[in-house]
Amino acid sequence: DAGVIQSPRHEVTEMGQEVTLRCKPISGHDYLFWYRQTMMRGLELLIYFNNNVPIDDSGMPEDRFSAKMPNASFSTLKIQPSEPRDSAVYFCASSLGTTSGKLFFGSGTQLSVL
Amino acid sequence: GQNIDQPTEMTATEGAIVQINCTYQTSGFNGLFWYQQHAGEAPTFLSYNVLDGLEEKGRFSSFLSRSKGYSYLLLKELQMKDSASYLCAVRAYSGNTPLVFGKGTRLSVIA
């Protein structure tokens, strides 16, 4: 398996623009997580899905953030409008419900909002 | 609430042994995990403890004391490639609930 695939790898945008991050989980995994990583706050959970259904989005910072999982092989995280404080590395991870906490992370998207 | 503490940085010498500590206060407990993250890369799973005691896996071992809210990761025979951040993470509830991560300990291995 190719692992968790994220795109783009890097994104530079201007404040106010819409940003869409994409993720393809490992085939057969039933959980998908979006995390954000910064030096100050470390790795923070934004939202997670089980069988394509959002379970907990309490980590989404505000209404500017939204996430969807239209099918088992694709998820998006959208920020609209983007702000400089959204600059971070965004990781998508997937796991199999039966394996205890072993997350498989994608390579991440380095987002810079100018 | 959840709180996970680990040292920000550590330095150790090639061939030596290093212990990275992690303390946690969480509303529940259902497992402690260690992940390794090289600079610019994604975290990768290292180990998992749910019962007290030591779990050994090659050069890496992880210890857990649930009563003390304490874990450590022990790295033996350090190699330069072990220079990375080590993230402690706790799962507070049963089932495949999300992990809460500490901020990580950046380990530098020097010659």
Side-chain angles (χ1 to χ4, degrees):
Chain A
D1 201 313
V4 177
I5 299 173
Q6 288 188 247
S7 65
R9 188 71 196 271
H10 302 276
E11 177 82 29
V12 180
T13 191
E14 293 187 346
M15 183 173 63
Q17 296 298 306
E18 178 179 294
V19 174
T20 299
L21 311 181
R22 297 173 175 79
C23 175
K24 176 179 166 53
I26 291 174
S27 177
H29 280 191
D30 53 351
Y31 282 82
L32 184 140
F33 306 84
W34 282 101
Y35 281 90
R36 177 171 69 175
Q37 188 174 41
T38 60
M39 289 291 290
M40 288 295 293
R41 301 174 69 88
L43 203 56
E44 301 174 286
L45 177 71
L46 299 176
I47 184 172
Y48 79 101
F49 296 82
N50 176 218
N51 291 322
N52 315 338
V53 176
I55 302 301
D56 184 355
D57 66 354
S58 60
M60 298 284 259
E62 42 197 278
D63 292 345
R64 298 184 297 106
F65 285 68
S66 62
K68 294 182 181 179
M69 192 166 185
N71 57 62
S73 58
F74 184 65
S75 177
T76 59
L77 178 68
K78 186 176 292 187
I79 308 173
Q80 166 63 23
S82 58
E83 297 183 1
R85 59 188 166 137
D86 302 330
S87 298
V89 181
Y90 290 80
F91 285 105
C92 173
S94 70
S95 71
L96 199 54
T98 53
T99 55
S100 305
K102 187 173 181 179
L103 304 181
F104 292 82
F105 283 83
S107 299
T109 295
Q110 172 76 62
L111 173 65
S112 298
V113 183
L114 307 177
Chain B
Q2 330 280 16
N3 189 45
I4 300 173
D5 288 315
Q6 45 182 137
T8 304
E9 292 187 72
M10 298 182 72
T11 301
T13 306
E14 193 175 17
I17 299 173
V18 71
Q19 178 174 311
I20 301 173
N21 296 324
C22 170
T23 58
Y24 62 91
Q25 298 97 39
T26 55
S27 51
F29 181 81
N30 194 39
L32 187 135
F33 302 79
W34 286 94
Y35 280 74
Q36 180 189 57
Q37 185 178 23
H38 285 100
E41 298 183 10
T44 56
F45 172 82
L46 279 180
S47 69
Y48 164 58
N49 295 68
V50 68
L51 299 176
D52 290 353
L54 190 68
E55 293 282 341
E56 299 189 73
K57 193 184 290 187
R59 293 189 300 113
F60 292 8
S61 303
S62 56
F63 171 83
L64 174 67
S65 169
R66 289 171 296 170
S67 62
K68 295 182 179 178
Y70 168 68
S71 173
Y72 67 73
L73 180 69
L74 194 70
L75 291 73
K76 303 176 186 175
E77 301 170 15
L78 279 173
Q79 302 175 9
M80 301 298 284
K81 67 178 182 178
D82 297 329
S83 293
S85 287
Y86 292 86
L87 309 176
C88 175
V90 173
R91 186 169 61 201
Y93 306 106
S94 62
N96 202 13
T97 50
L99 303 184
V100 177
F101 284 85
K103 293 183 181 179
T105 298
R106 188 162 59 247
L107 174 66
S108 298
V109 180
I110 59 175

